[in-house]
Amino acid sequence: MSNIGSYEEKVKNFKWDDCEAELGYKKGDIINIGEYCTDRICRMGKGEKPALFWQGYTGEIKKYTFNRMRVLTNTIARYLKDLGIKEGERVCLFLDKVPELYFGFLGILKMGAIAQPLFSAFGGESLFTRLEDAEATAIITQKKHVGKVRKILNDLPRLKHVIIVDDDGSKPLRQRETAFSMETAASVEDFEIFPSTAETPSVLHYTSGTTGKPKGAQHVHYSLISQYITAKYVLDLTDEDIYWCTADPGWVTGTSYGIIGPWSNGITQCVLDSGFRADTWYQFIEDHKITTWYSAPTAIRSLMREGKELVQQYDLSSLRHMCSVGEPLNAEAVIWSGETFGLSFHDTFWQTETGSIMICNYPGMKIKPGSMGKPFPGITADVVDMKTYEPVKKSGTVGLIAIIPGWPSMFRSYWKNEEVYRSKFRNGWYICGDRASIDEDGYFWFVGRDDDVINTGGHLVGPFEIESALLEHEAVAESACVGKPDPVNMEVVKAFIALKPGYKGSDELELKIMNFIRKKLSPLAMPQEIEFMDSLPKTRSGKIMRRLLRAKEWGEEIGDTSTLEDNE
Ligand code: PRX
């Protein structure tokens, strides 16, 4: 029997108050995610239960119990407080998937600051934009990444502390740098946890849109209620489970379901700090006897490519439940996983802004391969007309996915960008920015994004950010970036570029520009293909028509371009 039992019954009887009661929380109480994931679990008698099995890329393994995690998160919290970091200040985590990332996240929350996790693969410019916008006062990083921080430090006067977690003393520290090792620092048994309440800011996750700089979706400690209950009902986590979330905490999946959801449920989880390799992944599942697995379509499609034969070389009999998020999970992937593992991947849909799973497939509920499933109990989701924002009502009609605001983990603002935040709410709905339809049985079917954001391997990349960076290249006069179909990553970035006089398009220049973006932004933002053009198609008002270029890549009917121009 699954945790959720009958989906229909749960929808009928669901109350957020019951979830609060389950967590021993009453309105107005102190609620601190750091405390709930560590101290509370220890108080429940699970102090000696493993919280984390961590495996590095060299094969090194580290194990931590809930009690050890409690003490280490205290130790980090105390260190940050002693540095002078105050409640509400932003502390950035710029680390590989090392234990310090996970415990640092909880330590920051325990002392009342706001955690800002960023991918360690980010280049200087991506890092700078987000640190500057968040006005972060500290960054926690590793020796291997500190070089990127050093290069931008002079332009970040507010960033007072650069904390290096693995400094070995071999080289002198530079300005604002400080060395801290959570393992060798004096252990802090008792820490006075910051008395945060429901609306106290907790996490700032940056996400890309079509226009402007990336925006910081700001969450609060009360998000715990949603993250706890969705981890329980959707991931179906129980006390005996060994859970693996493959996502990096630079991405919201890696915090909501790689930290908060599982640990607030007192679940043992595994982390593999290495890149994707099918054989390593299967070995990891076999070695740790992983039972529940949360991954993404790109990874699943990569596994499909490696074939069933590889799967048969491993004992994966421990697996009992598998979920996926980030991009449409194609029907083939659902069917393949059913045939290969004897279990189907359950698609889940949500966003950085929603903070927790909104629409998904539940254990025990019939899966329609290719469908995202149904709204989480307690969530009212619908598809609304693109102009009137009224529910479309008729099954099969495509419109925008919309959710009634007010669930616990809904983002509370975009950092310093109230206007864009407000623009996301229409006619009483939160508008996700995705198109879908609902069938006669109430299942949601994803159609596509309603903007120009590129989804590559589940990661959203803003075309504007890449285009701005491209303009910094000496040869580029103007550019437009769109998503191009890709069998594994769903989309990859394709750039259309008009060169400055005196430059000629060549393979060599293409490579140089690609590398320029990889270093400045990230490997994900790097165009996989560049097409040089004499000039780019524009609207009458002079805006570049990305949609036209995109339609060309997808082989879609372009139709009457005057309407495209009007839409701009
Ligand atoms: O376009 C949808 C796509 O990813 C977007 C959210 O991206 P992000 O904020 O980075 O968060 C991703 C992880 C929660 C959505 O607006 N997306 C996410 N899940 C799905 C999806 N598209 C189709 N099917 C999904 N299951």
Side-chain angles (χ1 to χ4, degrees):
M1 179 71 167
S2 63
N3 284 338
I4 192 166
S6 150
Y7 170 73
E8 283 74 22
E9 280 299 307
K10 200 51 88 188
V11 170
K12 255 192 255 154
N13 304 325
F14 187 89
K15 289 197 203 80
W16 290 111
D17 287 355
D18 294 342
C19 309
E20 292 180 354
E22 221 176 286
L23 282 162
Y25 169 82
K26 287 190 304 313
K27 296 252 180 308
D29 280 358
I30 288 171
I31 177 169
N32 185 297
I33 291 173
E35 203 273 343
Y36 265 94
C37 289
T38 60
D39 300 62
R40 180 169 181 272
I41 305 299
C42 293
R43 282 202 305 280
M44 290 166 77
K46 295 194 203 172
E48 293 316 307
K49 180 177 175 177
L52 174 64
F53 289 118
W54 175 87
Q55 187 173 312
Y57 60 91
T58 58
E60 183 193 2
I61 289 181
K62 293 182 182 174
K63 294 178 187 173
Y64 301 88
T65 61
F66 273 96
N67 191 48
R68 181 82 183 127
M69 178 159 84
R70 181 187 69 78
V71 172
L72 289 172
T73 50
N74 280 350
T75 309
I76 296 170
R78 156 72 46 226
Y79 179 77
L80 295 174
K81 208 167 169 187
D82 287 351
L83 271 186
I85 293 166
K86 302 271 179 315
E87 63 175 276
E89 290 187 2
R90 277 72 57 209
V91 178
C92 173
L93 292 150
F94 189 55
L95 298 155
D96 293 347
K97 289 193 273 178
V98 290
E100 285 84 351
L101 170 56
Y102 296 81
F103 301 163
F105 180 86
L106 295 174
I108 293 167
L109 299 183
K110 275 187 162 180
M111 52 78 64
I114 301 176
Q116 184 198 14
L118 294 179
F119 288 112
S120 58
F122 274 157
E125 189 152 318
S126 291
L127 180 62
F128 175 78
T129 316
R130 290 158 177 82
L131 287 172
E132 190 195 37
D133 189 71
E135 299 176 74
T137 39
I139 181 167
I140 307 179
T141 190
Q142 284 160 278
K143 262 190 316 192
K144 67 200 265 203
H145 301 303
V146 76
K148 290 191 264 192
V149 184
R150 283 176 184 162
K151 282 202 186 120
I152 55 176
L153 200 59
N154 282 341
D155 295 320
L156 293 167
R158 288 196 172 85
L159 191 67
K160 290 196 217 114
H161 310 284
V162 178
I163 302 159
I164 306 171
V165 297
D166 57 352
D167 183 69
D168 54 9
S170 60
K171 288 197 188 129
L173 294 172
R174 306 237 190 124
Q175 53 156 340
R176 303 187 230 172
E177 288 176 6
T178 139
F180 168 75
S181 156
M182 70 173 187
E183 304 278 0
T184 57
S187 290
V188 178
E189 262 303 317
D190 297 302
F191 177 76
E192 209 170 290
I193 293 171
F194 182 76
S196 43
T197 51
E199 294 304 305
T200 305
S202 55
V203 184
L204 193 57
H205 261 299
Y206 275 75
T207 180
S208 299
T210 308
T211 54
K213 286 191 295 188
K215 298 174 292 288
Q218 195 222 297
H219 290 279
V220 295
H221 280 267
Y222 188 61
S223 70
L224 169 78
I225 308 292
S226 293
Q227 289 146 351
Y228 164 82
I229 203 72
T230 47
K232 181 170 168 181
Y233 288 162
V234 182
L235 305 178
D236 197 39
L237 297 175
T238 63
D239 207 22
E240 296 76 42
D241 277 314
I242 309 282
Y243 165 69
W244 182 29
C245 170
T246 60
D248 187 306
W251 193 39
V252 70
T253 308
T255 54
S256 290
Y257 298 105
I259 300 180
I260 309 172
W263 280 334
S264 62
N265 275 277
I267 304 301
T268 302
Q269 59 168 335
C270 300
V271 167
L272 177 61
D273 180 23
S274 73
F276 174 83
R277 269 190 61 145
D279 51 356
T280 317
W281 276 32
Y282 293 142
Q283 191 65 55
F284 190 65
I285 294 173
E286 178 178 316
D287 289 349
H288 295 280
K289 301 198 168 38
I290 287 163
T291 60
T292 20
W293 186 16
Y294 198 15
S295 198
T298 293
I300 299 164
R301 286 192 290 268
S302 304
L303 294 175
M304 283 169 78
R305 282 202 156 183
E306 304 279 339
K308 268 188 205 159
E309 297 68 35
L310 183 68
V311 181
Q312 282 151 8
Q313 292 171 27
Y314 298 87
D315 176 5
L316 307 181
S317 56
S318 55
L319 283 172
R320 69 167 192 89
H321 188 49
M322 316 195 300
C323 294
S324 161
V325 63
E327 323 143 52
L329 182 64
N330 35 326
E332 297 78 13
V334 177
I335 294 162
W336 177 82
S337 63
E339 287 169 3
T340 311
F341 301 99
L343 300 166
S344 295
F345 272 101
H346 290 62
D347 192 12
T348 68
F349 167 88
W350 57 293
Q351 304 179 304
T352 305
E353 287 85 346
T354 68
S356 67
I357 295 166
M358 294 285 109
I359 299 169
C360 66
N361 294 279
Y362 305 86
M365 190 177 91
K366 179 180 169 227
I367 295 183
K368 294 194 186 187
S371 158
M372 305 196 300
K374 296 188 177 188
F376 187 75
I379 296 294
T380 309
D382 211 330
V383 164
V384 300
D385 182 87
M386 306 202 196
K387 290 209 167 73
T388 62
Y389 302 105
E390 291 294 338
V392 294
K393 293 208 175 82
K394 197 163 162 274
S395 62
T397 309
V398 175
L400 299 173
I401 302 178
I403 303 167
I404 297 284
W407 67 96
S409 67
M410 189 178 94
F411 70 139
R412 298 303 198 260
S413 73
Y414 283 125
W415 190 253
K416 298 192 303 190
N417 208 340
E418 195 55 30
E419 203 183 316
V420 180
Y421 178 71
R422 261 184 272 126
S423 73
K424 295 274 174 173
F425 298 88
R426 297 287 164 96
N427 194 26
W429 297 95
Y430 164 68
I431 306 293
C432 292
D434 289 296
R435 282 178 277 128
S437 66
I438 306 177
D439 70 13
E440 57 289 353
D441 299 324
Y443 282 72
F444 283 62
W445 295 80
F446 186 80
V447 173
R449 283 194 64 94
D450 191 46
D451 59 17
D452 293 341
V453 170
I454 302 160
N455 187 334
T456 178
H459 294 274
L460 303 188
V461 189
F464 178 80
E465 202 181 4
I466 314 171
E467 290 160 6
S468 308
L470 279 169
L471 286 184
E472 290 173 44
H473 190 280
E474 55 181 16
V476 177
E478 52 183 19
S479 73
C481 291
V482 301
K484 175 188 157 75
D486 182 82
V488 171
N489 288 296
M490 186 169 98
E491 289 183 314
V492 290
V493 177
K494 173 161 180 182
F496 295 87
I497 291 179
L499 293 170
K500 284 186 185 155
Y503 288 92
K504 260 192 90 149
S506 65
D507 289 352
E508 198 190 336
L509 183 60
E510 183 175 351
L511 267 181
K512 272 194 186 152
I513 296 176
M514 286 175 174
N515 260 319
F516 179 77
I517 297 298
R518 187 177 57 81
K519 280 209 184 127
K520 237 181 198 319
L521 299 180
S522 72
L524 283 173
M526 181 183 86
Q528 300 286 325
E529 193 181 315
I530 293 179
E531 188 172 323
F532 296 108
M533 298 176 97
D534 292 337
S535 65
L536 300 178
K538 297 203 187 70
T539 61
R540 275 184 292 260
S541 60
K543 275 193 205 157
I544 293 170
M545 285 200 283
R546 273 199 213 106
R547 264 176 235 186
L548 193 112
L549 296 166
R550 189 178 191 281
K552 189 165 91 88
E553 288 310 309
W554 289 77
E556 285 165 5
E557 237 356 89
I558 298 169
D560 180 4
T561 52
S562 63
T563 52
L564 271 168
E565 289 182 17
D566 291 343
N567 281 341
E568 284 294 311

